[in-house]
Amino acid sequence: MNAPRLIGILGGTFDPVHLGHLALAQAALAQLPLTEVLWLPSGSPGHRDAPVASTRDRLAMLRLATAADARYRIDEGELDRGEPTYSVHTLARLRAQTGKAQPLVLLLGSDSFLSLPTWLRWRELFDLAHFAVATRPGQLPVNGGPLPDLSEEIARRSARPEQLTGSAAGRVARFDMPPMDISSSAVRAKLAAGEDVRNLLPGAVLAYIGARRLYLEETRKT
């Protein structure tokens, strides 16, 4: 009998996609029983500023960055939405597409996970997916710090990675990832300043940015 498929979900504006995103995906594939990573570029995210690069450019860069790994797949379902989108809406859409029994796991860095109580209808997210949280190697399982509501959820939902295939949603696991001081906003600032970013971006993405002359100024595209 085949083991259940476990789909990892990695969302973001990917403006631009950088080596930190790819490192998180590779660490998750290495340590969690994932069959694939579903990259989910957002259109107009509800929790952050609108993207700088156009939808077409962000999608093209993401395709270039993920082309080499057959375990990567891109979901374009959020890109054409005119209204702001939130994780609860996105996961509900994916859950409707995959069915009630399919294990889904949202891949997050620890900082993003600890901000969970600020997300729209955050408790409902546990009914829609598991969470896998990237932490530093050897770090104790992530906790909610001064956030008692999140700490309570973590305490009763903590699981080992191999347990994520046993149910469709509702567990919290961790996996190791060395700290990487990379953010899309920092990459954009360096590009605008003419600084070298070859150690921050996949080569194909850097070439695309150069050809399209993206991020030369921190201005927004419509």
Side-chain angles (χ1 to χ4, degrees), residues 7-21:
I7 300 174
I9 301 166
L10 183 54
T13 55
F14 305 119
D15 189 27
V17 58
H18 53 67
L19 293 180
H21 296 129

Side-chain angles (χ1 to χ4, degrees), residues 107-124:
L107 308 175
L108 294 174
S110 57
D111 288 347
S112 293
F113 181 70
L114 292 178
S115 73
L116 198 63
T118 68
W119 296 19
L120 181 69
R121 291 157 50 189
W122 69 279
R123 291 185 188 276
E124 295 179 32

Side-chain angles (χ1 to χ4, degrees), residues 20-51:
H21 296 129
L22 293 167
L24 191 151
Q26 285 294 315
L29 284 166
Q31 299 174 56
L32 306 173
L34 300 177
T35 52
E36 65 178 349
V37 171
L38 185 66
W39 294 74
L40 214 135
S42 57
S44 179
H47 290 290
R48 58 195 306 174
D49 292 336

Side-chain angles (χ1 to χ4, degrees), residues 44-64:
S44 179
H47 290 290
R48 58 195 306 174
D49 292 336
V52 174
S54 69
T55 295
R56 181 183 72 169
D57 285 328
R58 290 187 295 116
L59 181 58
M61 289 186 285
L62 189 56
R63 286 172 173 164
L64 289 169

Side-chain angles (χ1 to χ4, degrees), residues 63-115:
R63 286 172 173 164
L64 289 169
T66 59
D69 197 320
R71 297 170 297 177
Y72 290 157
R73 186 162 58 91
I74 299 173
D75 182 298
E76 302 177 26
E78 303 299 309
L79 288 175
D80 294 328
R81 293 179 178 267
E83 71 279 3
T85 57
Y86 295 87
S87 295
V88 67
H89 303 139
T90 299
L91 290 177
R93 175 178 66 83
L94 293 177
R95 176 57 64 199
Q97 291 175 352
T98 60
K100 295 181 179 180
Q102 171 62 54
L104 301 175
V105 55
L106 188 61
L107 308 175
L108 294 174
S110 57
D111 288 347
S112 293
F113 181 70
L114 292 178
S115 73

